Amino acid sequence: MQTEQLAAGQIRPVTAEEVEQYKTDGMVHLKGILDADLVVRMEKVFMEVMDDESNGLASSDFGELAKGLEAQGLEILNESDSTSQTPKAGNGKFKAGGFNCQNYPSLNELGTRGPFGPIAAKLMGSERICFYGDQLFWKQPNSLQRTAFHQDATYIHHEGEQCCTFWMPMEKVDEENGMMGYAKGSHRGELYKPNLFVSQASFPGSEGKDLPDVEANEKEFNVVYCPAEPGDIIVHHVKTWHGSTGNTSQTRHRRAMTLRYLGDDIRYLERMGTPPDSPKSARLKNGDPIECEEFPLMWTREDGFVAPRQTV
């Protein structure tokens, strides 16, 4: 029996049981799959991007977004703080950065040459993997805004089943500082409107139906929350309903890097009512295979890594 070759930074293979869980539940928690050196590198890249004040597009404060939406009369999803049962805003920042890989070679190198492409291929059964991009999330202490349950599929300009998101924490995550939650099996259902991330209110101009109120009916929708450690990856299908709790800790941060990968059946589709920073292609038409300069081919089963190395 031939031993599976692992990519640099990957310390164990994905098991058959994990592949089956991904297919069945639309998510899988790959515990202890990344080595410590890669986690250190990820943290360094994370801070390079999120602490860069020279680039105004690198990150935004979702806490300020929440204040603006609340001023418009929209309901914000907040946790209670550690001393009160009353939901309140909290004074910690909830910073988010998205699609910075084109501006930071170190981030692009991590996304296209890290072990994630082969892992995505095994989970999705894909022969070729393209890199879609990155998102970084930093819930600082006492940043009480929840991340509303949503589907990634309706925020991005493509369609198909072979698309997944990797969520990877930089520190221990538990019920205190902002766990991820997933509605198991929800990837087999329909698509719903994108929402405003810190509110269940739908994104302006989006079409279709609102996502059901998952936060108030977690048992009904089979929601599971996942404590996680550095070195873990939680992978979810692009249509899986997911969200996270706020950070109620007074001292602990919750930093997480997400990377998204596209497989064989993904086709380009420009959607109405998506966030303005959602990447598009100037070359592709609706229905075209996704591989292009904006969403580069990074790995194939036949040739391994094909994306060029970056000068970091």
Side-chain angles (χ1 to χ4, degrees):
M1 183 176 177
Q2 187 176 8
T3 302
E4 179 179 338
Q5 185 175 3
L6 302 180
Q10 181 182 352
I11 61 177
R12 69 167 181 85
V14 176
T15 68
E17 292 76 15
E18 289 170 331
V19 173
E20 186 59 31
Q21 184 185 351
Y22 175 79
K23 293 178 180 177
T24 301
D25 294 342
M27 59 79 59
V28 62
H29 187 173
L30 306 176
K31 296 181 180 180
I33 197 169
L34 303 178
D35 70 25
D37 288 343
L38 181 57
V39 173
V40 169
R41 179 182 164 201
M42 290 168 57
E43 182 178 15
K44 181 180 179 181
V45 171
F46 182 101
M47 297 307 297
E48 175 191 356
V49 177
M50 296 296 271
D51 274 351
D52 185 0
E53 297 182 357
S54 67
N55 181 1
L57 299 178
S59 67
S60 56
D61 185 354
F62 277 16
E64 291 301 313
L65 169 64
K67 291 178 183 178
L69 297 176
E70 200 165 31
Q72 298 174 37
L74 298 178
E75 183 178 355
I76 305 303
L77 298 177
N78 288 327
E79 303 286 358
S80 302
D81 70 9
S82 58
T83 60
S84 170
Q85 295 304 307
T86 303
K88 54 197 307 184
N91 56 15
K93 288 187 177 182
F94 176 9
K95 296 177 67 177
F99 316 117
N100 282 296
C101 56
Q102 298 303 317
N103 299 321
Y104 295 87
S106 58
L107 182 56
N108 193 64
E109 174 80 2
L110 188 66
T112 59
R113 303 292 302 197
F116 315 110
I119 294 173
K122 185 164 185 179
L123 290 171
M124 299 190 296
S126 184
E127 297 296 315
R128 298 163 68 85
I129 297 293
C130 292
F131 179 48
Y132 173 78
D134 62 279
Q135 288 180 293
L136 310 178
F137 300 102
W138 189 352
K139 291 192 173 186
Q140 297 180 354
N142 201 36
S143 56
L144 302 180
Q145 295 86 17
R146 291 184 62 107
T147 302
F149 275 80
H150 61 281
Q151 297 168 295
D152 290 344
T154 50
Y155 294 80
I156 53 183
H157 297 291
H158 49 260
E159 62 180 349
E161 297 297 323
Q162 290 181 328
C163 177
C164 62
T165 300
F166 285 44
W167 189 94
M168 297 165 287
M170 306 294 104
E171 50 260 320
K172 180 179 178 180
V173 176
D174 55 30
E175 63 183 1
E176 182 184 49
N177 66 331
M179 286 192 299
M180 291 295 295
Y182 302 87
K184 294 167 63 175
S186 56
H187 64 302
R188 295 191 294 270
E190 61 187 300
L191 289 178
Y192 295 89
K193 290 181 180 181
N195 59 38
L196 292 168
F197 215 64
V198 292
S199 171
Q200 293 174 335
S202 58
F203 203 86
S206 56
E207 299 176 336
K209 297 190 296 185
D210 291 332
L211 189 75
D213 185 355
V214 181
E215 286 81 5
N217 300 280
E218 291 183 350
K219 185 175 181 180
E220 175 186 348
F221 293 117
N222 201 18
V223 171
V224 294
Y225 284 93
C226 300
E229 302 271 356
D232 294 357
I233 308 174
I234 307 176
V235 187
H236 68 265
H237 188 286
V238 73
K239 290 166 60 178
T240 300
W241 307 357
H242 61 286
S244 77
T245 59
N247 186 352
T248 61
S249 170
Q250 301 299 306
T251 58
R252 297 170 57 203
H253 292 258
R254 196 222 70 178
R255 297 168 298 168
M257 175 179 292
T258 68
L259 302 171
R260 189 167 294 121
Y261 295 95
L262 315 172
D264 299 335
D265 76 339
I266 299 298
R267 298 294 181 265
Y268 189 67
L269 174 67
E270 290 200 5
R271 298 183 183 276
M272 298 290 293
T274 58
D277 63 346
S278 183
K280 296 182 180 181
S281 171
R283 301 160 182 81
L284 298 183
K285 303 185 298 296
N286 286 350
D288 284 349
I290 201 65
E291 182 183 332
C292 63
E293 181 179 350
E294 292 87 355
F295 313 121
L297 180 69
M298 58 156 292
W299 183 92
T300 73
R301 196 173 301 278
E302 180 178 359
D303 298 321
F305 289 97
V306 297
R309 288 196 175 279
Q310 300 290 305
T311 302
V312 180

